[in-house]
Amino acid sequence: MKKIVSLTALLLVIALLFAGCKETFDTTKSVNKLLNKGLVISQEYSTTYQLKEASAMFNAEIRFYGGNFTVEVKRGVALEDPKEPGSNCQFIELATEDQAIKYAEHYIKVRKNDNEYKVAQSGTVVVITNLEIAAEVIPLEFK
């Protein structure tokens, strides 16, 4: 009987450990899937200078629309469909998850009457797109 209780307790602990594991969003994997679907990279922020400029641009936009927080861009990639100008998907990796949550909520709030773009957030990454294929390929819930 003691062995059964010990085994049950061990299985419960293992189950709780796996339940606590959260799969992290893989930006590179999603970008590669979209590249394989025919999209092309139209813009990328990766150098220190580009990231500083992107952060300044995002923070100016946030202030312009009445936001009271700042973000720090750690990486940015924008893809577009060469067959449909203006159709794009942006991946914005911010410094913290809190920044990503605030930015995604702010974006949705200020563009509530603009149904063209959909937004998803996972961890430190915010994804903004007006491409149906992106919403289908990217394993996130878009709002």
Side-chain angles (χ1 to χ4, degrees):
M1 184 64 160
K2 222 178 190 183
K3 287 183 180 182
I4 293 173
V5 171
S6 295
L7 181 61
T8 304
L10 178 63
L11 291 174
L12 180 62
V13 168
I14 291 171
L16 289 173
L17 285 173
F18 282 117
C21 295
K22 181 179 164 185
E23 188 178 331
T24 57
F25 177 71
D26 188 341
T27 301
T28 302
K29 190 175 182 179
S30 291
V31 167
N32 287 335
K33 284 181 180 180
L34 292 172
L35 289 171
N36 289 334
K37 296 286 185 182
L39 273 63
V40 295
I41 294 177
S42 60
Q43 194 168 30
E44 192 163 7
Y45 303 112
S46 57
T47 69
T48 303
Y49 176 78
Q50 290 169 331
L51 295 170
K52 185 177 177 182
E53 291 295 308
S55 295
M57 181 180 67
F58 277 79
N59 288 320
E61 176 193 2
I62 290 166
R63 281 190 307 279
F64 179 79
Y65 286 107
N68 191 19
F69 64 98
T70 59
V71 297
E72 179 185 356
V73 178
K74 292 296 192 177
R75 181 179 179 211
V77 179
L79 297 104
E80 67 179 39
D81 185 341
K83 298 173 191 163
E84 294 182 49
S87 297
N88 62 69
C89 181
Q90 303 168 47
F91 296 85
I92 306 140
E93 184 178 335
L94 300 173
T96 67
E97 185 172 354
D98 185 56
Q99 288 179 7
I101 291 168
K102 285 180 180 176
Y103 185 75
E105 289 174 351
H106 179 73
Y107 191 95
I108 291 167
K109 178 183 167 190
V110 299
R111 292 183 169 81
K112 63 184 171 214
N113 295 327
D114 178 9
N115 294 331
E116 184 180 1
Y117 283 89
K118 296 179 181 177
V119 179
Q121 178 268 324
S122 178
T124 60
V125 179
V126 177
V127 182
I128 302 170
T129 188
N130 64 350
L131 286 166
E132 285 300 319
I133 189 72
E136 293 169 8
V137 168
I138 299 169
L140 298 176
E141 182 182 331
F142 285 85
K143 299 176 184 174

